[in-house]
């Protein structure tokens, strides 16, 4: 699984593979006009390249051959709004779980209508069709089940990821290819890699050799966030805060009794909306919680669920900002 850091060398090299736009020797351009001429030539070249990209034929991660006839402008990509926003692209409609939207993105998506995924299920094809998308992107293979792919693909070209939020670097590059924003995707990931490097330098010995756990609370109980996705991935793979073996690969609800034996230096608490309030409040009053090593050492931090429980450059950059703020006050 690739991170922003591991992709940096490839991305930076990729950004430099295009031909340089220069004025030919036979053309005389006043010095004050040269930058303008260069910019115009570059814009013209980029426009030609974008035009040449389409129609684009690409195979999605479920094996479907997807033909995108022209540069998409009306995109339905639920739960990938973060990645779209980082590329400067607005979707035609944004996802909601019925109780909340992605609040941290509303400075860019405030004027974008909302569509609800009731009980986590994709909306009916009629509802999607009403927004007349010219490209549909499903972030998870589960969204394509039960005939949904067949219905959606009749509306517009439909691309399906196995799990786009597991490795946002890969999915962002794929989005960049489909949307004609390859250079922007590379630029965004290079910027994220720089952010990770700067954060690690600032944190220094504070995180060196340390372990951490991200604990999520909702109405069903308490869960560990593994290093495979979202904020758990940022801590383990980007910043190097390892997880104990007891957490790795665990997705089931866990009992309070494991906490006193939890071998971590830091605990980050994430409430899944208001549904996690009762569970967390109950835990905080328990003697088990108060006997947990990280709690006794004052190394427990409460976080914002909206971006700790999602993936993308914007969300994961905010997670990094939180960790730096928590650990280097």
């Amino acid at each position: 699984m690739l991170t922003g850091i591991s992709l940096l060398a490839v991305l930076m090299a990729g950004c430099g593979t295009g031909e340089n736009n220069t004025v030919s020797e036979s053309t005389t351009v006043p010095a004050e006009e040269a930058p303008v001429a260069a910019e115009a030539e570059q814009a013209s070249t980029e426009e030609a390249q974008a035009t040449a990209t389409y129609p684009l034929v690409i195979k999605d991660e479920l094996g479907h051959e997807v033909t995108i006839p022209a540069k998409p402008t009306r995109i339905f990509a639920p739960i990938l709004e973060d990645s779209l926003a980082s590329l400067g692209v607005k979707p035609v409609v944004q996802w909601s779980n019925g109780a909340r939207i992605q609040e941290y993105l509303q400075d860019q998506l405030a004027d974008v209508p909302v569509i609800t995924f009731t009980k986590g299920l994709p909306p009916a094809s009629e509802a999607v069709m009403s927004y007349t998308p010219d490209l549909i992107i499903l972030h998870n293979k589960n969204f394509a089940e039960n005939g949904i792919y067949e219905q959606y693909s009749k509306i517009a070209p439909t691309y399906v990821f196995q799990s786009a939020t597991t490795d946002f670097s890969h999915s962002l590059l794929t989005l960049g290819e489909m949307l004609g924003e390859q250079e922007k995707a590379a630029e965004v990931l290079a910027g994220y890699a720089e952010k990770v490097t700067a954060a690690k330098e600032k944190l220094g010995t504070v995180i060196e050799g340390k372990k951490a756990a991200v604990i999520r609370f909702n109405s069903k109980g308490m869960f560990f966030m593994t290093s495979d996705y979202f904020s758990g991935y940022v801590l383990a793979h980007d910043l190097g805060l390892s997880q104990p073996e007891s957490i790795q690969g665990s997705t089931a609800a866990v009992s309070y009794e494991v906490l006193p034996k939890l071998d971590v230096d830091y605990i980050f608490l994430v409430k899944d909306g208001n549904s996690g309030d009762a569970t967390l409040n109950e835990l905080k009053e328990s003697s088990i919680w108060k006997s947990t090593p990280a709690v006794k050492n004052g190394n427990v931090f409460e976080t914002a669920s909206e971006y700790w429980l999602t993936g993308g450059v914007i969300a994961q950059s905010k997670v990094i900002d939180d960790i730096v703020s928590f650990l280097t006050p």
Side-chain angles (χ1 to χ4, degrees):
M1 188 173 296
L2 299 174
T3 66
I5 290 178
S6 63
L7 281 167
L8 178 57
V10 176
L11 295 173
M12 294 303 288
C15 288
T17 56
E19 296 181 2
N20 293 327
N21 295 317
T22 57
V23 179
S24 67
E25 294 180 0
S26 62
T27 304
T28 302
V29 181
E32 65 273 12
E33 295 180 12
V36 176
E39 289 177 7
E41 185 177 353
Q42 181 178 358
S44 176
T45 301
E46 290 176 353
E47 182 179 354
Q49 290 173 341
T51 302
T53 300
Y54 302 96
L56 172 67
V57 179
I58 186 172
K59 185 170 288 189
D60 75 8
E61 295 185 359
L62 296 190
H64 305 119
E65 188 173 276
V66 183
T67 300
I68 304 174
K71 184 178 176 67
T73 59
R74 297 183 62 80
I75 301 149
F76 174 54
I79 311 181
L80 287 170
E81 290 87 355
D82 186 303
S83 291
L84 292 181
S86 71
L87 296 177
V89 175
K90 278 190 178 182
V92 69
V93 62
Q94 63 176 310
W95 167 88
S96 166
N97 66 359
R100 61 181 174 86
I101 55 178
Q102 298 167 94
E103 293 290 348
Y104 75 99
L105 295 175
Q106 294 314 298
D107 59 334
Q108 299 180 64
L109 304 182
D111 59 344
V112 176
V114 175
I115 194 166
T116 298
F117 279 43
T118 306
K119 296 182 179 180
L121 299 175
S125 58
E126 293 80 7
V128 176
M129 188 184 302
S130 68
Y131 293 99
T132 61
D134 56 16
L135 178 63
I136 297 172
I137 306 170
L138 301 180
H139 91 292
N140 190 298
K141 64 180 181 179
N142 297 332
F143 279 13
E145 295 177 346
N146 302 316
I148 291 296
Y149 176 81
E150 289 74 16
Q151 295 171 33
Y152 282 6
S153 60
K154 292 178 181 178
I155 300 171
T158 301
Y159 183 99
V160 186
F161 285 100
Q162 286 280 353
S163 180
T165 49
T166 299
D167 181 359
F168 80 86
S169 298
H170 165 72
S171 59
L172 187 66
L173 290 172
T174 303
L175 286 172
E177 180 182 2
M178 288 190 284
L179 304 181
E181 299 290 347
Q182 297 96 322
E183 290 189 8
K184 179 63 175 178
E187 176 187 326
V188 168
L189 289 174
Y192 180 76
E194 292 175 0
K195 185 179 187 71
V196 170
T197 299
K200 291 176 73 172
E201 289 177 353
K202 187 167 185 178
L203 290 164
T205 58
V206 173
I207 62 171
E208 187 176 343
K210 300 296 177 61
K211 297 179 181 179
V214 181
I215 304 178
R216 174 182 183 177
F217 296 88
N218 61 29
S219 59
K220 297 179 181 179
M222 179 179 77
F223 305 80
F224 288 127
M225 181 81 72
T226 74
S227 62
D228 295 332
Y229 59 100
F230 301 160
S231 51
Y233 189 92
V234 177
L235 267 68
H237 296 279
D238 290 340
L239 297 182
L241 277 160
S242 62
Q243 293 184 334
E245 293 183 3
S246 59
I247 293 178
Q248 296 173 14
S250 172
T251 57
V254 295
S255 64
Y256 296 166
E257 285 71 22
V258 305
L259 293 173
K261 299 177 183 179
L262 188 59
D263 179 25
V264 295
D265 300 282
Y266 305 110
I267 293 176
F268 301 94
L269 305 177
V270 187
K271 292 186 297 183
D272 193 352
N274 296 329
S275 66
D277 288 351
T279 306
L280 179 55
N281 291 337
E282 176 185 320
L283 174 63
K284 285 181 176 179
E285 295 302 317
S286 70
S287 58
I288 290 177
W289 175 250
K290 295 173 183 177
S291 65
T292 302
V295 176
K296 292 193 292 185
N297 293 331
N299 289 329
V300 177
F301 308 94
E302 294 191 34
T303 68
S305 64
E306 57 185 280
Y307 51 85
W308 276 69
L309 296 179
T310 191
V313 169
I314 299 173
Q316 298 187 195
S317 293
K318 288 180 175 292
V319 169
I320 289 174
D321 289 340
D322 280 354
I323 294 170
V324 171
S325 175
F326 291 148
L327 303 185
T328 60

